[in-house]
Amino acid sequence: MKCPYCNQPMICGKLYSAAEKGVYWLPNDTSIAEMKGWILQEKKIHSIGGIVLDDLYSVGFIAKNRPDSFYCNTCNIFLTKYSP
């Protein structure tokens, strides 16, 4: 894949998280502190406008299949296609 900003080749990889938990995204105007309780859950992340990027096992917030993520070492950006 070529970087849409500089047209240089991008490096394909995967996003990971600590302890094999699912990777998620939150908008700038929200915070993880807005979720009630200590346990990460997909529905809690969705309730504050977040997106879970992983396919998760049904037994918990454990990553199952991570999406490809492309990195441009010229622009220092990541591009990850989210497929719900």
Side-chain angles (χ1 to χ4, degrees):
M1 172 177 226
K2 296 229 180 207
C3 177
Y5 297 99
C6 70
N7 208 33
Q8 295 297 312
M10 298 184 82
I11 303 163
C12 184
K14 306 238 185 254
L15 295 173
Y16 292 89
S17 62
E20 295 303 309
K21 300 294 185 196
V23 175
Y24 57 93
W25 172 90
L26 295 176
N28 284 337
D29 61 349
T30 62
S31 164
I32 195 75
E34 292 181 46
M35 291 193 296
K36 306 244 189 286
W38 292 93
I39 300 172
L40 278 178
Q41 293 177 329
E42 189 170 10
K43 66 182 179 180
K44 288 182 182 181
I45 291 170
H46 289 174
S47 74
I48 61 171
I51 298 170
V52 176
L53 299 172
D54 282 325
D55 184 19
L56 304 174
Y57 285 104
S58 62
V59 296
F61 200 74
I62 301 169
K64 186 176 176 183
N65 297 312
R66 291 178 174 87
D68 285 337
S69 185
F70 295 87
Y71 172 67
C72 176
N73 60 4
T74 301
C75 299
N76 289 319
I77 63 165
F78 292 94
L79 294 176
T80 305
K81 183 174 179 177
Y82 169 61
S83 299

